[in-house]
Amino acid sequence: QGQLLAKSWSSLFEGHSGAALRGPIYSFNGRNVLTDPLWPRRLAWHGSTPRGGHARRWDCQGWRSAGAAEGMATALAEGRLLAGHRHNCSTP
């Protein structure tokens, strides 16, 4: 929609927990994930530490539907891309 989310790719990950998110975020099918009822949890899954490094134990890599693995994800309402918390990898 032409709205600036961040000044640059690297600015998404600078500082503590990355850049503050601005404006709506759209899915690949054009739905605003911040308001659309199809996105009830509104999480951004990233598998990263707050400084942008790989959170090896919390990235859902190798997860299977019957597993209890956890991965790092951020609630988009928090406004900080990498201000993540562990969530069960089975969370939709």
Side-chain angles (χ1 to χ4, degrees):
Q1 302 290 346
Q3 295 179 352
L4 182 65
L5 181 62
K7 291 182 180 181
S8 68
W9 176 255
S10 62
S11 73
L12 283 172
F13 308 106
E14 290 175 348
H16 182 66
S17 300
L21 300 175
R22 298 181 218 134
I25 299 174
Y26 295 97
S27 66
F28 288 108
N29 63 357
R31 295 178 181 269
N32 182 340
V33 300
L34 299 175
T35 59
D36 193 289
L38 290 176
W39 296 82
R41 296 292 307 248
R42 295 174 174 81
L43 296 173
W45 292 89
H46 50 74
S48 297
T49 67
R51 293 171 131 332
H54 182 199
R56 295 185 196 286
R57 291 183 57 203
W58 316 113
D59 65 2
C60 293
Q61 185 173 334
W63 168 82
R64 301 293 181 260
S65 61
E70 291 183 313
M72 295 299 286
T74 298
L76 293 172
E78 287 187 38
R80 304 294 279 176
L81 184 60
L82 298 180
H85 303 282
R86 292 188 317 232
H87 294 271
N88 186 292
C89 294
S90 296
T91 301

